[in-house]
Amino acid sequence: MKQINIGLIGVGGMGTRHAHNLHQRVVGLTVAAVNDVDLERAQQVASDCGNARVFADPYALIADDHVEALLIASPDDTHAEYTLACLREGKPVLCEKPLATNAADAGRVVEAEMAVGRQLIAVGFMRRYDPQHIAVKQAVDSGIIGRPILFKGVHRNAEVPPRFSAGLIINGSAVHDIDSARWLLGQEVEIVYVRGVRTEMSLQEDVCDLALLQISLTNDTLATIEVYVTAGYGYEVRAEVVGERGTAVTMPPDHIALRVKSTRSHPVPADWLARFQDAYLAELNQWALALRGQPFRGASAWDGYLSLLAADACLKSLRSGKPEPASCPVIPELYRQ
Ligand code: ISE
């Protein structure tokens, strides 16, 4: 099989995991070029992947003739500009979530993709590839739980990185759950109401560690989402859809139950890399198929944009303490399935 040469921008924890998955576990894609602000780190990952080329300049990497598709896993505030550069080169890109740090920038990406006239962008909402989430989606779509009326999400991180800022709990973390609610219910966000709590674990004065989102979506549906980023004990994500005739909920993918000293316990993963490894792998494998012309079923730039329109409204509500409307534009032809 002819290999497709991938250029990888950003090799922190997430980008390094993608690099190793691509190199060791995905057929048909080769890590050909690597960029990172930390050149030593880029060099290390490049040699892990069989001597990929290292670029100091991400734009030179994107424009390089040998690079056929891009994977962007650099810091969130670089996503929109790098994705726009990929579009200028007419190259497909898998961009880590969020597509941008605000809806205005994500909107510019959508407009640029519409000007190209074909979908080149995939957004890395990995839960859409997670077997537990897919099983919930299939149950909802089968009609077995009746009309879906409520999404209930729980999203807990053990701890936050030191650079965690006030907006990150929404556009870095809750944006996943917003996407899950839209995807699993098949509805769009209309009104949001968000309250936050600052715990003793909070690193900065203006940063909430726990946010509770109440959301009204189209077609008379609702969502409640807890995002708690300093939960301490581990990493946990739960998604439930309540319907008129039943509910479907993800079960933790535990591999064992431990019974010792009169106690039965289940392990909790430490972080998202441990919890969602199967999903990251499935994401890359489906992207590989899409790059060879198969239909693509993951999140599009439009999904990236709408999740940020809702996230912007959530941040506004967190700050105002009041319900806020989220704008919900009509879906352009390019993004209709
Ligand atoms: C992180 O960037 C992720 O994408 C994780 O999945 C999420 O759980 C975490 O809150 C984010 O900071």
Side-chain angles (χ1 to χ4, degrees):
M1 181 193 292
K2 189 188 163 304
Q3 294 291 306
I4 298 176
N5 287 328
I6 304 301
L8 175 56
I9 302 182
V11 284
M14 192 67 253
T16 299
R17 174 61 63 93
H18 284 315
H20 291 163
N21 279 344
L22 280 170
H23 184 61
Q24 293 158 5
R25 300 195 168 88
V26 177
V27 175
L29 303 184
T30 296
V31 180
V34 178
N35 160 266
D36 193 274
V37 282
D38 180 341
L39 277 180
E40 259 177 50
R41 192 161 67 175
Q43 188 58 62
Q44 177 61 53
V45 171
S47 58
D48 292 350
C49 295
N51 273 333
R53 284 192 298 155
V54 173
F55 284 72
D57 176 2
Y59 294 100
L61 181 151
I62 292 169
D64 188 84
D65 284 345
H66 296 290
V67 171
E68 296 167 279
L70 282 302
L71 202 169
I72 298 176
S74 46
D76 295 357
D77 59 2
T78 62
H79 290 181
E81 289 315 317
Y82 293 161
T83 303
L84 285 168
C86 298
L87 291 178
R88 284 196 293 276
E89 297 292 331
K91 293 182 183 176
V93 49
L94 170 57
C95 180
E96 260 306 324
K97 50 57 63 178
L99 180 56
T101 50
N102 58 65
D105 287 347
R108 288 195 295 129
V109 175
V110 162
E111 270 172 30
E113 190 176 48
M114 290 203 309
V116 173
R118 61 202 166 97
Q119 285 197 43
L120 290 173
I121 302 169
V123 177
F125 282 123
M126 76 300 193
R127 295 182 188 178
R128 292 185 183 222
Y129 305 90
D130 169 58
Q132 282 78 27
H133 282 76
I134 291 172
V136 169
K137 174 75 175 152
Q138 284 169 347
V140 173
D141 290 350
S142 75
I144 195 167
I145 65 165
R147 184 175 84 88
I149 48 179
L150 171 67
F151 168 83
K152 292 172 80 170
V154 173
H155 181 174
R156 298 193 186 131
N157 291 186
E159 58 186 10
V160 290
R163 59 180 171 75
F164 205 77
S165 63
L168 263 181
I169 192 166
I170 302 296
N171 58 32
S173 299
V175 72
H176 276 295
D177 310 277
I178 292 169
D179 182 65
S180 295
R182 294 182 55 247
W183 173 58
L184 292 172
L185 293 173
Q187 305 296 333
E188 295 301 350
V189 173
E190 288 185 328
I191 302 171
V192 305
Y193 177 50
V194 182
R195 299 308 304 256
V197 173
R198 213 182 136 256
T199 74
E200 60 183 13
M201 297 302 292
S202 184
L203 298 170
Q204 289 153 49
E205 284 214 344
D206 60 340
V207 175
C208 298
D209 313 284
L210 188 147
L212 197 60
L213 286 57
Q214 282 183 46
I215 302 183
S216 304
L217 296 97
T218 45
N219 201 23
D220 234 358
T221 56
L222 298 169
T224 63
I225 294 165
E226 172 210 309
V227 186
Y228 182 17
V229 291
T230 52
Y233 67 84
Y235 183 78
E236 207 173 13
V237 167
R238 200 157 62 232
E240 178 171 19
V241 177
V242 178
E244 286 178 337
R245 289 200 301 272
T247 91
V249 61
T250 55
M251 297 301 283
D254 295 329
H255 298 301
I256 58 161
L258 202 58
R259 292 177 171 88
V260 270
K261 294 186 182 162
S262 314
T263 310
R264 187 175 60 216
S265 62
H266 300 266
V268 178
D271 59 22
W272 53 93
L273 296 179
R275 164 65 181 85
F276 285 112
Q277 165 62 7
D278 290 350
Y280 291 124
L281 213 46
E283 176 178 68
L284 290 176
N285 277 307
Q286 287 194 31
W287 188 48
L289 292 174
L291 291 176
R292 293 179 194 282
Q294 307 256 352
F296 172 69
R297 291 192 194 81
S300 65
W302 185 253
D303 295 308
Y305 175 44
L306 283 221
S307 62
L308 284 166
L309 279 170
D312 277 5
C314 286
L315 260 180
K316 201 167 168 200
S317 172
L318 185 61
R319 285 171 183 146
S320 70
K322 291 191 291 213
E324 300 286 352
S327 63
C328 177
V330 176
I331 184 166
E333 193 55 44
L334 181 64
Y335 301 104
R336 293 208 181 112
Q337 279 160 1

